[in-house]
Amino acid sequence: MGVTSQLLELYRVDQQLRGLTGRLKTAEAYLAEQDKLLGAIKSKHDAMALQLKQLEAAAHNDETEAKGLDLRIEKLRERMNNAQTSKEHSALTTEIANLKADKGLIEERALASMSKVQEFRTQLGALDAEKAEREKVREIAKRDRDERQKEIQGRLDELNAERTAKCHGIPADAMKHYTQRLNSGAEEIMAPLQEEDRRNMEYTCGGCYTMLPIELVSVLLKRGDLTRCPSCKVILYMEASLKDDISNSHEKKKSAGASKSAGKSGTGKGSKKKTVPSDE
Ligand SMILES: [Zn+2]
């Protein structure tokens, strides 16, 4: 069996594998997307929870500080009531007024903190709800992925075993080209030759429709060495039915030619008439 035929058999298995795992891959991508969205919600939630903690601590500090000032003002009032001189009385009045002004500022700050705390708590609540919703979606996505995995596992094992068997005996160099193509993310790994005009040996690449050099067609028709499209690099093969057709018509031509070898040389247009070359 030529290398191209070996690769084609492997390719047929890989196509089945691709078809089989397509739905699973979609499910996996969807699950990964849910994980990503959930992760984003969680980190937003964590950052906001940390900020909330800091705000709550600041508000608490302000409250403690305001209470401390209250106590000091209380004590100063007592001293003021017992003041011996008017000078002492007026000094204490000023100090109390200053402390009251300080306390007012602190209370204002605490109030602002508290309103921010409230705002953050509301936002965190919304994030909690969003997270719970997303977790539900993720759970469904995971179940779907697991089910698909379970559904195809048996057939997947079979195909993988078949694949291993098909790989056996393929020359390393050909295998390397094939694997490179497979991993390149290209839509087509292999493509059939398209016959445009048999008489003039015109064949195009089934991947990109570029006209192929006749030597290349000849190689595929005979030895079946690894052949790649010069343009799109797809690995080319010739469908068995086409190969048989060409061989048969070639045989017919040969026998027809032999029977009237004494007559005119063929019936073709002449200038471009060409048969399959006997060798590369
Ligand atoms: Zn091509």
Side-chain angles (χ1 to χ4, degrees), residues 52-68 106 109-111 113-114 117 121:
L52 176 62
K53 233 178 177 178
Q54 287 163 347
L55 275 172
E56 281 171 338
H60 179 72
N61 282 346
D62 286 340
E63 217 176 297
T64 313
E65 209 178 330
K67 269 182 195 159
I106 290 164
R109 206 167 63 199
L111 214 63
S113 292
M114 278 318 290
V117 162
R121 280 183 185 152

Side-chain angles (χ1 to χ4, degrees), residues 181 191 204-212 228-236:
R181 180 86 189 166
T204 54
C205 162
C208 70
Y209 308 106
T210 298
M211 189 69 78
L212 297 167
R228 294 201 290 166
C229 167
S231 176
C232 73
K233 308 294 176 210
V234 76
I235 301 172
L236 292 162

